[in-house]
Amino acid sequence: MCLFQSVMNYFPEEVLEHVFDFLTSHRDRNAVSLVCKSWYSVEKFSRKKVFIGNCYAVNPERLIARFPRLRSLILKGKPHFADFNLVPHDWGGHVYPWIEAMAKSRINLEELRLKRMVVSDESLKLLAKSFPNFKSLVLVSCEGFTTNGLAAIASNCKFLRELDLQENEVDDRKGHWLSCFPESCTSLVSLNFACLKGEVNAAALERLVARCRNLRSLRLNHALPLEVLQKILVQAPQLNDLGTGSFTHDPNSETFIKLKNAVKNCHSIRSLSGFLDVNGRCLPAVYPICANLTALNLSYAPGIFSNELTKLIRHCKKIERLWILDTIGDKGLGVVANTCKELQELRVFPSDLYGVGNAAVTEEGLVAISAGCPKLNSILYFCQQMTNAALITVAKNCPNFIRFRLCTLNPIVPDAATNQPLDEGFGAIVQSCKGLTRLSVSGQLTDQVFLYIGMYAEQLEMLSIAFAGDSDKGMLYVLNGCKKLKKLEIRDSPFGNMALLSDMGKYETMRSLWMSSCQVTLGACKTLAEKMPRLNVEIISENEGGAGEVEARLDDRDRVEKMYLYRTLVGPRTDAPDFVRTL
Amino acid sequence: MEDYSREDEGCPQLLDLIAKGGEWVGIRAVERSHGISEEKKLELRLAPPGGEWSFEESNTTISRERNGLFSLGPCPQNTVLKPPSPWQHLQTSYLHPVRRESSQLCSNRAAAETKAFSAANTAMHNTAQKRTAPATVVGWPPIRSFRKNIASGSFSKQASDSPDVAPSKVSTVEKSSRTPFVKINMDGVPIGRKVDLKSYNTYEKLSFAVDELFRGLLAVQKKSCSGGIKDEGDGVEKIGGLLDGSGEYTLVYEDHEGDRMLVGDVPWHMFVSTVKRLRVLKTSELSALSRGPKQGKIAMNN
């Protein structure tokens, strides 16, 4: 027995477990479990939080066998491009089997966080009944449930602390789900129902807020008028995070004056969002709390004029996270740059999707932000136009980007000044930002940009490509160069079989690859699937006719419209619909 | 600044982003009139102050890759397009930077494919690349449906609406129109008018038109307010002094950023491109409306 072994055996398992408790990151804990059998075992039984980035990479049974004492689960379902309607409805990502399996095995589930999954009312009801200590439900970009499911959660989860619904498609049955929180429920810390379209019982909400003294985060939906907000703020001045519902009223009314006073009392608010349906003249009501805000989300409020926005922003000197619409304009972004010196994350969303309105930002705004905000590390920027010169300047100003997502409204627009592709600009970004983990490119791009990405983006984990590149070389540069790549999603780009098949082993080091409207053929996908049994290679057809017809029509030389492949431990999934064929 | 060479022979002037007979072709740089000065402006370097990037390492990688991957295949043209960039060191080690045009012409595609873009779309891109948003491309711009509903103004609809509600423009954000008919309202007149700015080419003509549009309406308003019966036509005052602050009324406008601006400061064509709506305000009330110390704002004398 070696010295190390004897030393390690000196520690009882409880000590190891206690030490492991300090490891919170999944990667660290995964690494720990690879050290030796005894560590594996201790880690296995002490693991409470599990993250599964692709719900089809494993199955519920394996999860439970591997981590029998888990308490908190994060699951992600559909591929990212499902957010943009590129994945047919009913593709999959059902949470029910997971809840069912955990219920059967009496897992002591306390937290569940789901992203892009299909959540049925049935699963919510089962969840509510099966886990007596359930505390936190966070649903992001999910669908498939109604307010009846929410009612089940409210009624049965006695210790519920968090119910957070972010941008879900919920069938609002206008039921009284909010009234289903029993009078005995006082444990709520976070409640976010901003995405619900229907009415809620305002009186029930006010009572709920009054009795939940630990409530820190509350985000209302559009149906709740200003009067209700005012009453709630009086009851809950301790809030940290507020999402207003509708924010429109006569600024001269008594209600509005009461609201202003209530807001003044809310000294703890650090995060502000909502303003769904807003009258710009009501915005001054929130000026008193702006000085301490670290997060501000005005991206759901298209009705605010740029000058009203900038007036508000001038009060927000401590903002770290700002989500806004492009109605702010380049000039408004200049104000942000001058005011928000603590800014770390900026997202500028498009407001005008159907026309060529001037309500858009250009490269000027981005350059101003990069010059004025030294702590900027994450950006999502939808813009009318971009130039290489601007991107190069941004790269020089901000070498600390970890997320850089640029989206030109015209996906193949070239450099606005020189008409060149935007290769050089993005090249500068990847060369300068050594810590970049996520990148989305757009605009006119050739293989060159991918050469740069492959050469410089050493930490890149996720790359999104659309309408870019000239040949297989582009994709090859990326696959060969980006050692840490986990997710690659490509649409409408001329990458084909040569690129797909050149390094098949690479895909086992990645979570997933999405290719749609590219040049890969069915034959190449079949070859890949055959050679790599631990990958699921799915061919997704449009929702017509079913796979049988599709198979009859497609021959190996035909292009595949949508391909999604991912590594998995459990083989082809059993719940695939007709139009999905796993090769 | 390295020499810039561009050889055009053999390459078509404008290519479409449509597969043609199985070949990928791309939009290429349109003939530029900027010349070298543009390139000079772009000579920005990503180097430490006073230093140069050392590209030795990258050069070796490049030459390795070049040998492995850079066979250009059956590419007859010697299309060398080297735009200026801080990456010039990178580029000198290539024989032929793979530009969009050359690779498109070289590449061979086995299967014909169709693109999401229609030909009409592409034509639009070629002529107005700066401004044009593409006609509907599925999933572009990439935002969640939840946001699409907001942007289209349907967020305010009640429950049980499907997300695919017909988009209605948010009324408070005026959309710029290709034909610049803009609304014009006048203080004291409840009904607004619309003017086609294309039909004027100076501020004077606009001012004259405003007078013509509102003179009658204003008279009607005054008549109904005063309650008496007066002769029409005679005695109706001309609305003048709109541009210089000398009249009872002054012409102002709202620009695309939502700011109120005095009409007349910028060249006419610039005005037309930024104006969203016009207002005729009482000169006496202008000072009450100024929004603070911003440049270019209404700065009433005294």
Side-chain angles (χ1 to χ4, degrees):
Chain A
M1 192 149 59
C2 73
L3 181 65
F4 176 77
Q5 197 81 13
S6 57
V7 164
M8 288 320 301
N9 284 347
Y10 194 72
F11 287 114
E13 291 193 349
E14 293 81 15
V15 174
L16 279 180
E17 193 176 315
H18 183 69
V19 171
F20 294 167
D21 271 350
F22 289 97
L23 298 172
T24 46
S25 125
H26 298 290
R27 289 181 196 188
D28 286 345
R29 293 202 70 125
N30 293 345
V32 149
S33 58
L34 293 174
V35 168
C36 64
K37 280 194 179 144
S38 123
W39 281 33
Y40 175 93
S41 172
V42 172
E43 200 283 319
K44 162 180 173 157
F45 287 105
S46 65
R47 175 89 73 125
K48 306 230 176 24
K49 295 190 188 198
V50 180
F51 169 83
I52 296 178
N54 173 7
C55 63
Y56 290 120
V58 292
N59 61 24
E61 290 70 40
R62 284 188 75 131
L63 167 69
I64 294 167
R66 178 75 177 81
F67 298 116
R69 303 224 185 115
L70 86 110
R71 304 241 184 111
S72 162
L73 179 62
I74 302 177
L75 272 177
K76 295 191 183 181
K78 301 186 201 178
H80 177 233
F81 276 173
D83 277 349
F84 319 132
N85 299 330
L86 289 180
V87 177
H89 204 48
D90 295 340
W91 170 84
H94 301 275
V95 75
Y96 189 84
W98 296 85
I99 297 178
E100 192 186 24
M102 287 189 288
K104 271 198 193 136
S105 303
R106 302 195 194 286
I107 295 284
N108 184 9
L109 193 68
E110 294 179 4
E111 297 174 1
L112 186 61
R113 186 187 172 108
L114 306 176
K115 189 167 187 181
R116 276 189 291 273
M117 294 202 68
V118 177
V119 181
S120 60
D121 279 350
E122 217 191 350
S123 19
L124 289 176
K125 287 174 187 164
L126 184 59
L127 176 71
K129 284 189 316 197
S130 312
F131 307 109
N133 291 322
F134 193 73
K135 293 193 174 68
S136 162
L137 180 63
V138 180
L139 303 178
V140 181
S141 230
C142 295
E143 50 157 350
F145 60 103
T146 77
T147 43
N148 294 340
L150 297 177
I153 298 283
S155 312
N156 297 305
C157 299
K158 293 189 174 51
F159 303 112
L160 193 69
R161 287 208 205 127
E162 180 174 25
L163 179 59
D164 185 357
L165 309 172
Q166 298 177 27
E167 298 192 351
N168 302 291
E169 296 288 343
V170 184
D171 184 1
D172 200 319
R173 300 267 166 90
K174 292 190 190 175
H176 300 285
W177 66 275
L178 203 63
S179 320
C180 292
F181 281 105
E183 290 302 316
S184 55
C185 169
T186 57
S187 50
L188 270 186
V189 172
S190 166
L191 178 62
N192 171 9
F193 56 93
C195 65
L196 294 185
K197 301 191 188 104
E199 313 228 327
V200 293
N201 185 332
L205 176 64
E206 288 163 36
R207 285 196 306 272
L208 181 65
V209 169
R211 64 182 184 267
C212 294
R213 300 318 308 158
N214 291 325
L215 192 68
R216 289 283 174 274
S217 167
L218 179 64
R219 297 191 184 193
L220 310 176
N221 74 346
H222 171 265
L224 286 169
L226 207 78
E227 290 90 357
V228 174
L229 175 63
Q230 181 264 320
K231 289 189 202 154
I232 286 176
L233 288 181
V234 168
Q235 290 287 357
Q238 79 281 6
L239 286 177
N240 282 342
D241 169 24
L242 174 67
T244 72
S246 138
F247 205 76
T248 170
H249 213 274
D250 176 2
N252 297 321
S253 67
E254 199 186 314
T255 307
F256 190 73
I257 293 168
K258 280 201 240 172
L259 174 75
K260 281 204 286 193
N261 291 333
V263 167
K264 276 191 200 137
N265 253 344
C266 296
H267 304 294
S268 305
I269 294 183
R270 297 288 173 270
S271 163
L272 190 58
S273 63
F275 301 99
L276 322 164
D277 193 14
V278 57
N279 176 349
R281 288 159 66 215
C282 292
L283 283 180
V286 300
Y287 288 173
I289 52 171
C290 286
N292 286 325
L293 282 184
T294 55
L296 179 61
N297 182 351
L298 296 169
S299 65
Y300 300 122
I304 311 180
F305 279 125
S306 169
N307 55 342
E308 288 160 341
L309 275 177
T310 50
K311 260 174 103 172
L312 177 65
I313 285 170
R314 280 187 210 279
H315 287 86
C316 303
K317 294 192 168 31
K318 290 196 190 160
I319 285 284
E320 295 170 12
R321 213 170 59 124
L322 179 63
W323 290 23
I324 204 143
L325 288 174
D326 61 6
T327 45
I328 192 172
D330 286 330
K331 214 176 85 170
L333 288 176
V335 173
V336 174
N338 287 334
T339 311
C340 309
K341 296 303 181 186
E342 303 296 316
L343 191 66
Q344 295 176 25
E345 175 182 320
L346 175 68
R347 297 197 189 188
V348 182
F349 292 97
S351 61
D352 180 5
L353 300 174
Y354 301 104
V356 286
N358 283 320
V361 293
T362 70
E363 74 277 8
E364 281 177 36
L366 184 60
V367 169
I369 294 280
S370 73
C373 304
K375 300 190 182 177
L376 192 66
N377 61 36
S378 169
I379 189 147
L380 170 61
Y381 197 74
F382 286 83
C383 55
Q384 181 92 289
Q385 63 184 51
M386 187 48 58
T387 64
N388 284 310
L391 285 173
I392 291 166
T393 306
V394 169
K396 280 164 73 170
N397 290 339
C398 291
N400 296 323
F401 276 122
I402 48 179
R403 281 183 292 273
F404 190 88
R405 295 197 276 162
L406 191 84
C407 179
T408 53
L409 293 174
N410 172 347
I412 51 168
V413 71
D415 180 319
T418 66
N419 256 341
Q420 291 294 298
L422 289 173
D423 301 334
E424 304 306 316
F426 282 107
I429 295 284
V430 291
Q431 216 244 14
S432 168
C433 304
K434 307 220 183 301
L436 196 69
T437 58
R438 183 166 179 185
L439 177 66
S440 301
V441 296
S442 63
Q444 189 190 335
L445 296 165
T446 72
D447 285 344
Q448 189 78 346
V449 70
F450 300 115
L451 174 66
Y452 294 143
I453 292 173
M455 280 178 66
Y456 294 110
E458 288 170 10
Q459 303 299 320
L460 196 66
E461 295 179 8
M462 182 167 175
L463 178 62
S464 307
I465 300 171
F467 302 97
D470 311 315
S471 73
D472 284 331
K473 288 191 197 119
M475 186 169 162
L476 281 172
Y477 293 145
V478 171
L479 292 175
N480 292 337
C482 299
K483 299 294 176 216
K484 298 208 177 166
L485 195 64
K486 290 218 157 54
K487 287 188 286 187
L488 181 58
E489 47 186 25
I490 307 172
R491 61 167 292 186
D492 294 275
S493 300
F495 306 134
N497 299 340
M498 201 260 277
L500 182 70
L501 299 177
S502 68
D503 181 5
M504 295 189 263
K506 171 85 176 169
Y507 305 125
E508 279 192 5
T509 69
M510 292 167 53
R511 187 188 296 172
S512 65
L513 168 67
W514 169 280
M515 292 180 78
S516 61
S517 305
C518 296
Q519 301 298 311
V520 291
T521 66
L522 181 60
C525 294
K526 282 184 180 170
T527 307
L528 180 57
E530 201 184 298
K531 297 246 165 78
M532 306 293 300
R534 284 193 298 221
L535 296 180
N536 278 352
V537 181
E538 293 189 5
I539 308 298
I540 302 167
S541 328
E542 287 315 306
N543 222 341
E544 307 158 25
E549 268 196 44
V550 173
E551 279 182 46
R553 278 184 282 142
L554 269 191
D555 117 339
D556 282 2
R557 287 164 305 167
D558 286 335
R559 240 175 20 104
V560 164
E561 189 52 38
K562 293 180 187 179
M563 181 207 71
Y564 180 54
L565 68 83
Y566 50 89
R567 66 180 173 190
T568 178
L569 296 173
V570 294
R573 56 185 174 114
T574 50
D575 65 353
D578 276 348
F579 53 87
V580 172
R581 178 182 163 196
T582 308
L583 298 175
Chain B
M1 190 70 211
E2 68 172 345
D3 280 344
Y4 175 89
S5 63
R6 184 169 52 139
E7 289 154 63
D8 295 339
E9 52 267 47
C11 283
Q13 285 301 317
L14 274 177
L15 310 174
D16 298 329
L17 193 68
I18 304 177
K20 285 183 181 171
E23 282 185 332
W24 271 91
V25 290
I27 294 177
R28 90 180 259 279
V30 178
E31 193 78 26
R32 274 174 292 157
S33 54
H34 304 300
I36 297 294
S37 57
E38 279 295 314
E39 288 97 58
K40 282 253 183 269
K41 283 188 217 158
L42 288 179
E43 190 184 8
L44 299 166
R45 291 183 181 219
L46 211 61
E52 297 273 63
W53 288 123
S54 70
F55 276 93
E56 293 87 28
E57 272 188 314
S58 18
N59 280 347
T60 4
T61 326
I62 292 160
S63 41
R64 265 210 310 273
E65 291 199 326
R66 189 177 54 174
N67 294 335
L69 302 169
F70 268 56
S71 55
L72 287 180
C75 183
Q77 282 88 358
N78 195 16
T79 320
V80 176
L81 192 66
K82 294 186 193 175
S85 67
W87 308 95
Q88 46 192 306
H89 292 284
L90 226 54
Q91 292 189 334
T92 47
S93 50
Y94 299 141
L95 284 177
H96 304 289
V98 180
R99 290 287 99 180
R100 199 181 188 92
E101 311 79 24
S102 54
S103 53
Q104 258 86 63
L105 295 168
C106 296
S107 63
N108 273 320
R109 304 291 163 205
E113 72 279 340
T114 49
K115 283 292 295 167
F117 280 127
S118 64
N121 237 356
T122 321
M124 211 161 63
H125 296 309
N126 290 342
T127 52
Q129 275 168 350
K130 272 196 191 191
R131 293 300 216 164
T132 312
T136 42
V137 175
V138 173
W140 200 269
I143 57 173
R144 291 182 183 155
S145 354
F146 194 78
R147 276 196 189 280
K148 280 204 166 112
N149 295 341
I150 295 164
S152 67
S154 64
F155 191 72
S156 51
K157 303 260 169 79
Q158 289 303 314
S160 74
D161 276 1
S162 76
D164 299 320
V165 171
S168 53
K169 261 327 265 182
V170 177
S171 55
T172 44
V173 179
E174 291 259 57
K175 203 167 64 160
S176 112
S177 42
R178 292 183 193 86
T179 62
F181 268 101
V182 293
K183 288 186 191 171
I184 175 163
N185 288 83
M186 182 163 184
D187 269 359
V189 179
I191 304 290
R193 308 291 306 259
K194 274 205 156 173
V195 285
D196 177 6
L197 292 176
K198 275 228 147 72
S199 50
Y200 316 110
N201 55 11
T202 63
Y203 287 116
E204 280 65 42
K205 288 192 181 155
L206 174 63
S207 173
F208 187 71
V210 170
D211 169 45
E212 283 196 314
L213 287 171
F214 281 107
R215 197 197 297 186
L217 284 174
L218 195 61
V220 165
Q221 233 9 58
K222 284 187 175 157
K223 187 172 92 175
S224 60
C225 287
S226 64
I229 298 173
K230 287 195 182 136
D231 286 330
E232 288 177 17
D234 295 12
V236 176
E237 286 176 13
K238 178 179 179 323
I239 306 170
L242 285 166
L243 300 172
D244 56 14
S246 66
E248 195 188 343
Y249 293 94
T250 300
L251 194 55
V252 302
Y253 72 100
E254 272 172 33
D255 68 6
H256 62 279
E257 288 175 322
D259 301 322
R260 281 218 174 144
M261 314 289 288
L262 202 60
V263 163
D265 286 332
V266 299
W268 174 257
H269 64 273
M270 204 185 287
F271 164 71
V272 171
S273 68
T274 59
V275 63
K276 284 282 163 291
R277 64 190 304 169
L278 289 159
R279 287 194 199 278
V280 187
L281 302 179
K282 285 213 154 167
T283 308
S284 53
E285 291 191 12
L286 274 179
S287 49
L289 290 165
S290 47
R291 292 210 188 204
K294 285 188 194 164
Q295 291 174 357
K297 286 291 159 251
I298 298 167
M300 281 309 296
N301 35 9
N302 315 326

